[in-house]
Amino acid sequence: MARHRTTPVLGAPRRHPFRALGIATMGALLVGAALFPGVSTDDATPVSDQTALNAVEEHGQLQVCGLKLCDESGQPIQLTGMSSHGLQWYDQCLTDASLDALAQDWRADVLRVSMYIQEGGYETDPRGFTDRVHELIEEGSERGLYVIVDWHMLTPGDPNHNTDRAKEFFAEIAAEHADKDNVLYEIANEPNGVSWNSVKGYSEEVIPVIRAQDPEAVVLVGTRAWSSLGVSEGSDHSEIVDNPVDADNIMYVYHFYAASHSGGHFDVFREAAQELPLFVTEFGTQEHTGDGPNDFASAQAYLDFMAQEQISWVNWNFSDDFRSGAVFETGTCNAGGPFTGTDSLKPAGEWIRDQIRTSGLSA
Ligand code: IDC
């Protein structure tokens, strides 16, 4: 693959705002520990987190190598992190404090910015939503996070319904952020009710628009049947293997909800991982509604497999929606937190925070 670098990455150390803050805060914590030797700082962010690794500074521009996601130097890596909820509903959960918590206390590597198109999303105010995505890319970048720009089409399920909108949006986003190393483009959240061939056709229209501006960025392609690799509509990954999208440096997207998708879905996912580059941009520990009881055993089986295969994942979702899959208790965002520690977390939130803290680049 021809790679055209516009900005130097490795070798030219770039200043990271939290490095300085980290040292100052670490000093304060050490002084605190000396003054109050009996007081554990366990409930606060541990000292080591204050200098949490800046994933982007360390790993630079990502690329697909073989079936893996690799860093700038060609080393396979796994990213772990969180997806926002829809910006039209839960923008108030994406604040300086909550994003600081995600980067430092949760030690996430990646933030997925979920911008719905319908349901009160982008189509109602293209300028406003595009501007907000620009801002969130900057917010993520300042915190050393990779940022997935999620074109959250869902209803209608044919991505071609929104092709013109997608081209306009991605052309602007890619042009504005082409010199960054940390942006990934997810061009269709969950195609449904359409053939794989339609999704492939859409992808081959939109990917060149992105690549014209930002030739190096990794692009993530949603798969048929709510990004189930086809399984939820009676197909499987072979339709992709036999008829891949004609583009380099792409990965195919798989989503799962652990309480609903532990059987045949998991089997196909495991097989697909041997044949396709995969990225899980959304999963929940509960049912496919994003609600209902958690099945942590099923989710753990998936996470163990993804750790073994170094498949990157993002959990749904970093909001205080009432459903069990939103990590914060209802009311947390309007109250301004707390976003660190576990006091505001639902069971799924506590579980996933632990997982993120102990996996991925900044474990
Ligand atoms: C759900 C939200 C819910 C919202 C609904 C609207 O949790 O609050 O009312 O979308 O569309 C997906 C989708 C994602 C869903 C999520 C949970 O990508 O938008 O969020 N889910 O149902 N695919 C499978 C599950």
Side-chain angles (χ1 to χ4, degrees):
M1 179 191 55
R3 309 187 63 235
H4 311 280
R5 167 143 307 294
T6 47
T7 50
V9 178
L10 298 179
R14 284 168 299 172
R15 249 184 62 74
H16 182 243
F18 288 116
R19 280 275 149 85
L21 177 70
I23 290 162
T25 318
M26 189 163 72
L29 279 176
L30 289 173
V31 170
L35 289 175
F36 308 102
V39 176
S40 158
T41 54
D42 266 357
D43 288 341
T45 306
V47 170
S48 61
D49 291 8
Q50 301 295 333
T51 52
L53 175 144
N54 177 329
V56 180
E57 193 170 297
E58 299 287 330
H59 294 277
Q61 176 64 55
L62 305 178
Q63 53 182 321
V64 182
C65 45
L67 301 183
K68 304 292 182 200
L69 181 63
C70 291
D71 70 5
E72 174 101 9
S73 69
Q75 187 65 30
I77 53 150
Q78 185 195 30
L79 305 180
T80 65
M82 290 300 300
S83 177
S84 75
H85 203 304
L87 299 183
Q88 77 275 40
W89 296 310
Y90 291 99
D91 198 27
Q92 67 278 15
C93 295
L94 303 171
T95 63
D96 282 350
S98 76
L99 295 173
D100 284 354
L102 184 63
Q104 297 195 293
D105 178 59
W106 288 54
R107 293 188 221 151
D109 311 310
V110 57
L111 166 70
R112 179 184 191 235
V113 174
S114 182
M115 186 193 70
Y116 280 68
I117 317 311
Q118 277 76 38
E119 301 181 59
Y122 176 86
E123 69 174 2
T124 65
D125 180 11
R127 185 72 265 142
F129 280 96
T130 306
D131 286 345
R132 185 58 180 141
V133 172
H134 284 312
E135 279 173 10
L136 288 165
I137 292 171
E138 300 298 344
E139 297 289 343
S141 304
E142 284 168 19
R143 291 166 175 80
L145 294 169
Y146 287 95
V147 179
I148 297 173
V149 178
D150 162 32
W151 182 256
H152 204 88
M153 53 68 57
L154 185 61
T155 310
D158 183 351
N160 295 289
H161 179 79
N162 291 304
T163 305
D164 291 343
R165 292 185 189 93
K167 285 179 173 173
E168 186 176 344
F169 172 78
F170 282 115
E172 179 177 324
I173 295 288
E176 177 73 19
H177 304 285
D179 63 344
K180 294 186 175 65
D181 293 327
N182 63 323
V183 181
L184 296 90
Y185 301 93
E186 182 175 3
I187 59 175
N189 166 51
E190 292 189 350
N192 57 88
V194 283
S195 67
W196 167 243
N197 220 39
S198 295
V199 180
K200 170 178 150 77
Y202 164 84
S203 304
E204 290 171 359
E205 279 198 64
V206 175
I207 293 170
V209 171
I210 296 172
R211 291 277 157 78
Q213 307 296 335
D214 189 352
E216 308 190 295
V218 172
V219 174
L220 307 173
V221 178
T223 58
R224 182 176 160 203
W226 298 277
S227 286
S228 69
L229 295 164
V231 183
S232 290
E233 289 174 357
S235 185
D236 65 29
H237 62 295
S238 61
E239 67 185 11
I240 306 170
V241 175
D242 293 345
N243 188 21
V245 171
D246 183 14
D248 290 333
N249 218 22
I250 64 169
M251 304 188 94
Y252 296 96
V253 170
Y254 179 69
H255 290 175
F256 69 89
Y257 283 77
S260 303
H261 302 138
S262 55
H265 283 77
F266 191 22
D267 295 340
V268 168
F269 176 58
R270 275 185 295 219
E271 285 173 33
Q274 312 311 322
E275 299 185 67
L276 295 169
L278 299 177
F279 197 126
V280 172
T281 60
E282 206 182 286
F283 83 93
T285 50
Q286 47 298 120
E287 294 167 357
H288 66 85
T289 54
D291 202 3
N294 293 295
D295 184 341
F296 292 128
S298 164
Q300 189 66 58
Y302 265 107
L303 260 57
D304 290 347
F305 176 73
M306 293 191 285
Q308 175 196 311
E309 298 292 328
Q310 288 185 290
I311 295 174
S312 296
W313 53 254
V314 174
N315 180 258
W316 180 264
N317 64 77
F318 198 64
S319 86
D320 64 354
D321 180 63
F322 67 89
R323 296 170 183 81
S324 60
V327 295
F328 297 113
E329 296 286 359
T330 305
T332 301
C333 299
N334 283 337
F339 298 109
T340 57
T342 55
D343 287 356
S344 305
L345 297 177
K346 293 191 194 130
E350 212 168 322
W351 189 87
I352 197 64
R353 174 175 173 273
D354 259 356
Q355 298 283 351
I356 291 175
R357 283 164 64 90
T358 53
S359 65
L361 294 176
S362 33

